[in-house]
Amino acid sequence: MSTDRHLPETIDTARPEAIQPALRAGSPAACAAPCVISKEAEDLVRDLLVRFGDKWSMRVMDELYERGALRFSRLRESLQGISQKMLTQTLRQLERDGVVARRVYAEVPPRVDYELTPIGIELAEALCGVWEWAIRHEQRVAALRAAFDSQLAAGAKPASRDD
Amino acid sequence: MSTDRHLPETIDTARPEAIQPALRAGSPAACAAPCVISKEAEDLVRDLLVRFGDKWSMRVMDELYERGALRFSRLRESLQGISQKMLTQTLRQLERDGVVARRVYAEVPPRVDYELTPIGIELAEALCGVWEWAIRHEQRVAALRAAFDSQLAAGAKPASRDD
DNA sequence: CTGAATCCCTTTGGATACTG
DNA sequence: CAGTATCCAAAGGGATTCAG
């Protein structure tokens, strides 16, 4: 009777009823600083997420976090597949935000190395929260995605049965 | 002696020397679960950052986090400026990942509402770590960016004096 | 009211070639 | 070795139109 991709009963898996606003109010896991932020900070957060969500920033951060200072070439080897352009561009952005420090040695063969700054390390660690979430729910998310895609496929087909 | 945008002395502000690998090893703020992750989880993290770093996902999440279940129109009003296409698209992605639950009411005028799932709330809270970092360093980052841009401007000019 | 489909512009990212 | 510049393909995202 429902040609919709979703049936009212279907969303039961998510159990929205189980998450009342009260939960949020008294949630023990809620962030220490209540998420009431200035406009500037909010922009910065989104800006950050955009940055680290791009194709390479997180990898660069991770490499520098794991291995300390690295020079351009070394970094490029590690992040195998990155183009020189993107590595430069990515490093510039990170440097501009003060999370990566760039050191130039005035030598005959140019030498430059990069390293996380203290606030860069802080940021890397802050990202661990998301990281941990991903670990916790990796399986679940994969399953949910699969289920979602199946529903899509099923809904697309003429046989719109709804159990 | 240096025509480079950066002088070796310049990066002193970042003090890379101050962040030895030892710091990371024993860092008290380091994530509980060491950041040694499976390939799948890493992909998922990047995927997540991409998602929430886009133009609207975080806003949607935030609205739902703050106000609980909301219907499409209501959500669209709140996220003023979002196009219908992007709201739908964003919600689909979030739903697919299981962080947002969609509920359809089989009524004459179609009604649909959206709400964070339990793991969606968890994720929102995990993002608070980044959020808090942004709050802590908002000023600093702004200053660093300004300084960086100034240096760029200065370096771009023909007068490449270096102290 | 909700949302799919289309058109179109902007941004992102990769390959390549060129400089100090 | 490190980095800039250019060209080009692909993805993101907005406005508009159409449909259940």
Side-chain angles (χ1 to χ4, degrees):
Chain A
M1 63 180 72
S2 161
T3 56
D4 237 280
R5 294 180 13 266
H6 289 267
L7 316 181
E9 305 81 352
T10 310
I11 46 80
D12 231 346
T13 51
R15 302 288 303 166
E17 300 78 9
I19 47 171
Q20 298 304 327
L23 187 158
R24 284 186 288 279
S27 176
C31 42
C35 288
V36 182
I37 323 284
S38 67
K39 183 66 173 54
E40 292 75 29
E42 181 177 330
D43 285 346
L44 184 52
V45 171
R46 188 163 16 256
D47 202 73
L48 255 33
L49 291 177
V50 169
R51 175 126 325 133
F52 297 106
D54 74 6
K55 200 169 181 181
W56 300 106
S57 291
M58 196 172 66
R59 288 184 163 248
V60 171
M61 289 271 297
D62 189 48
E63 279 300 314
L64 295 178
Y65 186 80
E66 301 288 347
R67 306 171 51 194
L70 288 174
R71 35 188 312 186
F72 192 86
S73 300
R74 199 81 191 77
L75 205 43
R76 189 175 176 183
E77 293 168 11
S78 306
L79 309 167
Q80 197 207 5
I82 192 173
S83 67
Q84 168 277 322
K85 171 187 171 183
M86 289 317 295
L87 179 52
T88 301
Q89 185 173 304
T90 301
L91 286 169
R92 282 292 170 285
Q93 298 284 7
L94 296 177
E95 186 192 2
R96 191 174 108 99
D97 284 344
V99 300
V100 159
R102 170 185 143 126
R103 208 163 2 187
V104 180
Y105 301 90
E107 298 177 359
V108 182
R111 193 161 73 101
V112 179
D113 64 24
Y114 297 88
E115 188 173 22
L116 286 187
T117 64
I119 72 174
I121 293 179
E122 275 186 53
L123 179 54
E125 286 161 358
L127 286 171
C128 280
V130 183
W131 206 260
E132 289 172 30
W133 183 92
I135 298 171
R136 269 202 308 277
H137 301 295
E138 183 195 338
Q139 303 288 330
R140 182 171 178 73
V141 170
L144 288 170
R145 285 181 176 181
F148 185 86
D149 293 343
S150 305
Q151 272 195 27
L152 264 185
K157 290 177 181 176
S160 55
R161 62 179 299 281
D162 54 290
D163 187 85
Chain B
M1 61 181 76
S2 161
T3 55
D4 238 281
R5 294 179 17 261
H6 290 268
L7 315 181
E9 305 81 353
T10 310
I11 45 80
D12 230 345
T13 50
R15 303 287 303 166
E17 300 79 8
I19 47 171
Q20 299 303 328
L23 188 157
R24 284 187 286 279
S27 175
C31 41
C35 287
V36 183
I37 322 283
S38 67
K39 183 65 173 55
E40 293 74 30
E42 180 176 331
D43 285 347
L44 183 53
V45 172
R46 186 162 18 257
D47 203 73
L48 254 34
L49 291 178
V50 170
R51 175 125 326 133
F52 297 107
D54 74 6
K55 200 169 182 180
W56 301 107
S57 291
M58 196 171 67
R59 288 184 163 249
V60 170
M61 288 272 296
D62 188 48
E63 279 299 314
L64 295 178
Y65 186 79
E66 301 288 346
R67 306 172 51 194
L70 288 173
R71 39 186 310 184
F72 192 87
S73 300
R74 198 81 190 77
L75 205 43
R76 189 174 177 185
E77 293 167 11
S78 306
L79 308 168
Q80 196 207 6
I82 193 173
S83 68
Q84 169 272 320
K85 171 188 172 183
M86 289 317 296
L87 180 52
T88 301
Q89 185 173 304
T90 301
L91 286 169
R92 281 293 169 284
Q93 298 284 7
L94 296 176
E95 186 192 1
R96 191 175 108 99
D97 284 345
V99 301
V100 160
R102 171 184 144 127
R103 208 164 2 189
V104 180
Y105 301 90
E107 298 177 359
V108 182
R111 192 159 73 101
V112 179
D113 64 26
Y114 297 87
E115 188 171 22
L116 287 187
T117 64
I119 73 174
I121 293 179
E122 275 185 53
L123 180 55
E125 286 161 357
L127 286 171
C128 281
V130 184
W131 206 260
E132 289 172 30
W133 183 93
I135 298 171
R136 269 201 309 277
H137 302 294
E138 183 195 338
Q139 304 288 329
R140 182 171 178 74
V141 170
L144 288 170
R145 284 182 175 179
F148 185 87
D149 293 342
S150 306
Q151 272 195 26
L152 265 186
K157 290 178 181 176
S160 55
R161 62 178 299 280
D162 54 289
D163 181 76

